[in-house]
Amino acid sequence: MYISFDLGGSSLKYGLGNTREGLLKHGSVRLRGVSRDAIINLIDDTFVELNAHLPTGESLHGVSLGSPGVVDAAGGRVLSHCPNLPDWKGAEPGPVLQRRLGVPVFVDNDANLMAYGEAARFGFERTVLGITLGTGIGSGLVVGRDIYTGAGWAALELGHVLVAPDGRLCGCGRRGCIEAYASGPSLVALCREAWRQKHDGRVNDSDNPTVKQIFDNVVDNKEVCAILLHQMDRLGFVLANAITILAPDVLIIGGGLSEISSFPWVELERAVRDRLLPVHNGSLRFEQAQLGNRAAIVGGLWRCHHRLESDIDN
């Protein structure tokens, strides 16, 4: 049995289960604060509650934590700035939680674990490129049972591929990243700016659409349609380049935006496939994530299982 956590900017998702039966219990709690201590204490408290729900006769073998930012999975450290959790950079949740919880703790990037959870559906027999579209844009590559991390644990930062030199300011501090155009907040901001320009700067709160309203109004609003299609085209450009370089078997699109019923699937897939070589196009499976917001939690269960297996083998 394992416990898996997925840390977000405003909540902590959790799950208890194993690789045989899946998640036996899962849910989420809102963060009580965004300081390191507040986050660690919330994980600790949630761990105690979940541990009390272990099935009779079962014991807990490990804990997984999916974290935003660049994560040193070997040392359990967070290496990069997380815009929604500014105090989290430099945190060492792996060793800190392992001392407090008394079981092995494995920390990975949350998008990597999302891809890992989806890769489990294919028995880890496919190379899976997973993309999460939400407040930001995350990605991970799973090859067999391994997560490709690259030098400095910083591989697959596809949200920060440049698509517009000297373009819009991204949360990472640079300009022109795809995240500054195709993430949820960026799409809202672009539509709001277009409205302001059309109406001579007059804009109010009612003109601040949600991402769902943007997707829902594409058919009836030419301006919204043009903005959305342009950004999906940009995103398709980034994904096509990634596929050309990495040649995955499966491209999985997940995250909060992908769960909106009116998400422009056809347009995004076309924007990807129209730019691929035949050798890549013919073999690629383009799929919506099937595990929803539970993907990183499920990935955490499998990651615990495989890393503990590896430790035993070594």
Side-chain angles (χ1 to χ4, degrees):
M1 298 296 294
Y2 311 104
I3 288 176
S4 182
F5 295 104
D6 179 17
L7 176 64
S10 60
S11 67
L12 176 72
K13 300 183 185 71
Y14 58 81
L16 168 69
N18 57 34
T19 57
R20 184 179 64 255
E21 300 163 284
L23 289 171
L24 304 181
K25 181 178 177 60
H26 63 90
S28 67
V29 291
R30 292 196 64 80
L31 298 185
R32 300 188 294 231
V34 293
S35 69
R36 293 185 197 181
D37 287 345
I39 292 170
I40 293 294
N41 288 336
L42 179 61
I43 293 172
D44 194 346
D45 292 345
T46 309
F47 170 86
V48 171
E49 292 181 18
L50 288 171
N51 209 21
H53 287 85
L54 277 173
T56 302
E58 295 282 2
S59 59
L60 190 69
H61 287 257
V63 168
S64 168
L65 171 63
S67 168
V70 176
V71 175
D72 169 0
R77 298 178 298 139
V78 180
L79 304 179
S80 72
H81 172 65
C82 307
N84 295 318
L85 300 171
D87 192 40
W88 197 235
K89 179 182 177 180
E92 299 185 345
V96 170
L97 287 170
Q98 189 156 311
R99 286 194 299 269
R100 292 179 66 161
L101 306 183
V103 294
V105 175
F106 304 105
V107 186
D108 284 280
N109 171 267
D110 51 358
N112 285 342
L113 289 182
M114 169 269 181
Y116 211 75
E118 293 289 339
R121 297 195 289 114
F122 302 97
F124 297 96
E125 295 179 352
R126 300 285 187 272
T127 298
V128 174
L129 175 60
I131 310 295
T132 61
L133 304 176
T135 304
I137 297 177
S139 53
L141 181 70
V142 180
V143 183
R145 292 185 174 189
D146 295 324
I147 295 172
Y148 180 70
T149 57
W153 306 94
L156 275 295
E157 288 289 334
L158 292 187
H160 301 293
V161 170
L162 298 178
V163 294
D166 301 318
R168 295 175 63 84
L169 182 65
C170 180
C172 73
R174 301 188 306 164
R175 290 187 175 274
C177 299
I178 185 61
E179 185 169 295
Y181 292 92
S183 66
S186 297
L187 289 172
V188 169
L190 286 164
C191 288
R192 188 173 172 84
E193 289 166 13
W195 181 267
R196 182 182 292 113
Q197 291 172 5
K198 180 178 179 179
H199 296 278
D200 300 321
R202 298 190 308 275
V203 65
N204 55 50
D205 290 341
S206 64
D207 303 319
N208 194 14
T210 65
V211 179
K212 184 178 187 306
Q213 288 170 331
I214 291 172
F215 290 163
D216 289 347
N217 292 331
V218 164
V219 175
D220 300 323
N221 189 314
K222 292 182 179 179
E223 291 171 330
V224 170
C225 181
I227 291 169
L228 181 60
L229 292 182
H230 185 36
Q231 306 322 319
M232 289 301 104
D233 190 64
R234 276 177 159 153
L235 180 58
F237 172 83
V238 170
L239 297 181
N241 283 337
I243 291 162
T244 301
I245 294 168
L246 301 170
D249 298 297
V250 189
L251 172 64
I252 300 286
I253 308 292
L257 298 193
S258 73
E259 296 177 7
I260 297 173
S261 59
S262 51
F263 182 84
W265 287 105
V266 173
E267 290 78 8
L268 180 57
E269 183 170 5
R270 183 185 299 121
V272 173
R273 291 195 179 276
D274 284 354
R275 293 184 170 97
L276 294 179
L277 294 169
V279 66
H280 296 127
N281 220 341
S283 61
L284 180 72
R285 293 177 60 165
F286 183 104
E287 293 193 5
Q288 180 180 4
Q290 298 298 302
L291 298 175
N293 63 11
R294 295 175 290 114
I297 300 173
V298 173
L301 299 183
W302 280 99
R303 196 66 175 145
C304 272
H305 182 66
H306 287 157
R307 289 184 69 173
L308 287 169
E309 270 190 342
S310 177
D311 288 347
I312 292 171
D313 291 340
N314 291 332

